[in-house]
Amino acid sequence: MNKWIIEFVLYAVYMVFGAAWATTGAVMPQIMADFNIDVSHAALMSNVILWAKILGAFCTSILTAQLGAKKSYLLGCVLTGLSIFIPWTNNFDLLLVIRFMGGLGGAICLVSLVPTVARLFNNKTASALNSLNCTSNIIGTIIALTLAGSLSVYFGGWRNLLAVYGVITLVLGVVWLIFFTDEEVTVTTASNDGSTDKLRIMKDAIFNRVVWGMIAQYVGAMIMMIFMFTFLPLYYAKYAHLPPESHAHLSGTVNQVGIMLGAIVGPFFKARGYHYKNWLFSTSIVMAITTFIMLFATNDILILVCSFLTGFVFATWFAFIFSIPKEMLKGANTQTVTYTMSTFWVCTFVIATANSQLIGWSIDATGSFTMGFIWVFALMVVSPIVALLVFPKKAAAHA
């Protein structure tokens, strides 16, 4: 097995998924016009993926245990590739079903990232790759935010564009099928205590304070990032009443560029020996300030600079937070990391999806984004404080 080909597939699949997900926000006015729906319903095109990722993240560890990593990841690619049927879909409910299935596939691929990297690479390389792999979704989002309109025209509409993403994912799934080998046929099945061990590992993941600290820390920033590509394009297009010369509409793209660069720099900070609790909390303060300015400022330069800084600082987390399961949990193995990441993503997606839908409803109810802005900022402030209280003390972090 060529581990670098597998790494390429891991990166590319989630990059394409990110582009398909973010394209919804970029073409939301077209979707609203095509189906004659309001903001909260159009937001379902993105939010239904979040709901699917909740179920998918929960099921991934079970699928991997039953089918093996090779077949479960291939299933994720196939489900995501179902978007090839979107051009023939004129019913909005059916469209949501296809998007939901794609979200399930995306969740399987997402949860598989950290365990697969942990299995194939040593700690130092895995930390760098965990950070790098987080840019895959960002690159996809940048593609969607900057090129979705042009690509939509080139391929004959947003439906065809989403179908193209599906074709690419299916091709990548074939590459995975050829080059990936299930080397772990789970030795625990040979033991009568295998099922007991799995239950213990799952219990440890669900009730571990480190895992819940990760969730509390990440969820506020994640909601802000979802807000950036789901709602801000609509805000600048219909609600902001910007002058023609304004460049504030580029804030989403600038934010994603900041994330990409921050993910590259993050491993260097981690290599300097900063403790994850210190780094995550101190950078959260910076993010709270830049997020407030980004959301409420009226000056283009301030908006763009703070949008970039928010993304940049957030992305430095990747090298720290996604290395925690392997480095900080006692006796961590592939199964432990898989259950941990399943728990992490399920809980994070539940909270993020609920809040994203609330924001959509607030926009329809008030006719403005003010409540949404306030809510996102409040979550950015509260989330790291809760995380600081939940994370165990440094001396107990390995327990």
Side-chain angles (χ1 to χ4, degrees), residues 11 48 63 80 92 114 144 230 322 351 372 395:
Y11 190 94
V48 73
L63 285 171
T80 305
F92 187 69
V114 173
T230 300
F322 295 123
I351 299 170

Side-chain angles (χ1 to χ4, degrees), residues 4 110 158 235 255 348 363:
W4 291 107
L110 173 63
W158 60 270
Y235 170 72
N255 176 264
T348 302
I363 296 168

